[in-house]
Amino acid sequence: MHFTVITPTHQRRELLPEAVASVRANISAPLNFSFEHLIYDSGSRDGTAAYLREAAAQPGPPLRHWHSPSRQLAGAARNALIREAAPDAWVVPLDDDDIMLQRTLYHYAAHIQAHPDRPWLVADFLRVDESGRYLPHEDYYAWQFETPTAMLQAIFRAEHFIQGNVCYSRAFVDEVGGYDGELAMAEDLDLYVRFLLARQLPVVCPHISHLHRFHARNVSIGVDAGKHNADLQVIYEKYAPQLRALGIAAPGK
């Protein structure tokens, strides 16, 4: 079993080393799997390229990196990284300002072994402030659903969402067409909607995948209920015929 952690980055030189160190700290024993970290530097001008060259030269699990002279949207950057992953890899997204727990890949591996026919998994995560201090009452816990339709209904009612707390097979993401590289926001949720439209429920893993950092430069700053509903509307319209056929109403209906 092999895992590929994918991280798009832009102007996060001060936080990226913690993300890199957290991936490298993963421990596989007593299971037997390998892992690597792929990073796409999207137009950074803050020394990220030099840092990545230094980090890639250090001993440890492989770190490979690519650089674009201009900023790319997150979906396009993730697609570029997925294309570099092995065909049989399990892909784990990690944002450049977040911190992976050192048993994250182990727990995913154990659940993959227990559910060999399921192509994607979802875990829980915790929120921390910009200094890494735990934020009480801000935990995220994945819900268990009986059917893909039930999960889609909860998503478009704005009752449930999924971020980077996932693991999926490269074969499955290739099957559904990868991330939408033209969406400026919610490109991850858009992908997971297509996973569910492919009639695949995620395996719910009761472990903490990562620490999601809140800080002044979060990409999601300003995403309130109104903005989230607008993003849901954009996604709904993309798949409206399929969603209506399942009896799923548009957001706010």
Side-chain angles (χ1 to χ4, degrees), residues 9-238:
T9 189
H10 173 72
Q11 296 291 106
R12 290 282 170 76
R13 171 64 180 84
E14 74 281 10
L15 297 176
L16 184 60
E18 287 189 71
V20 169
S22 74
V23 174
R24 285 187 158 172
N26 268 262
I27 297 173
S28 60
L31 298 180
N32 182 24
F33 62 81
S34 57
F35 62 93
E36 63 180 345
H37 194 180
L38 308 187
I39 300 178
Y40 190 96
D41 173 21
S42 183
S44 296
R45 299 288 187 272
D46 60 353
T48 292
Y51 160 71
L52 287 173
R53 287 192 295 269
E54 295 172 4
Q58 299 301 312
L63 187 158
R64 297 189 282 147
H65 53 96
W66 292 261
H67 303 266
S68 168
S70 59
R71 187 168 187 180
Q72 306 295 312
L73 291 175
R78 290 194 184 104
N79 286 338
L81 294 174
I82 290 169
R83 287 193 291 270
E84 298 293 335
D88 60 349
W90 288 88
V91 178
V92 180
L94 179 71
D95 286 348
D96 57 1
D97 51 357
D98 291 343
I99 299 171
M100 181 178 285
L101 273 64
Q102 71 179 39
R103 292 295 264 178
T104 294
L105 299 183
Y106 169 87
H107 288 303
Y108 280 141
H111 281 86
I112 290 167
Q113 288 185 343
H115 304 276
D117 299 324
R118 305 282 288 278
W120 73 300
L121 310 91
V122 59
D124 304 329
F125 64 85
L126 305 180
R127 292 181 173 93
V128 299
D129 68 13
E130 61 184 27
S131 299
R133 292 172 297 199
Y134 172 64
L135 295 174
H137 313 300
E138 294 287 347
D139 300 358
Y140 171 96
Y141 299 107
W143 292 5
Q144 185 72 257
F145 294 93
E146 292 297 322
T147 65
T149 298
M151 190 168 182
L152 285 166
Q153 287 172 332
I155 287 172
F156 286 104
R157 288 175 186 153
E159 297 172 347
H160 192 60
F161 70 97
I162 319 172
Q163 288 184 316
N165 50 313
V166 297
C167 171
Y168 47 78
S169 73
R170 176 181 168 174
F172 188 39
V173 77
D174 286 348
E175 176 185 327
V176 303
Y179 290 90
D180 185 332
E182 297 183 357
L183 281 179
M185 286 293 294
E187 76 289 335
D188 46 3
L189 186 58
D190 173 77
L191 176 66
Y192 311 145
V193 164
R194 276 182 279 128
F195 284 175
L196 293 166
L197 287 173
R199 311 306 297 164
Q200 289 288 352
L201 267 177
V203 175
V204 176
C205 305
H207 71 270
I208 305 301
S209 66
H210 67 285
L211 305 180
H212 177 60
R213 194 192 306 259
F214 273 10
H215 57 90
R217 292 172 55 212
N218 275 122
V219 173
S220 57
I221 287 290
V223 180
D224 56 11
K227 180 63 171 68
H228 180 63
N229 188 72
D231 290 338
L232 285 177
Q233 187 66 51
V234 170
I235 296 172
Y236 186 91
E237 290 303 322
K238 289 181 63 179

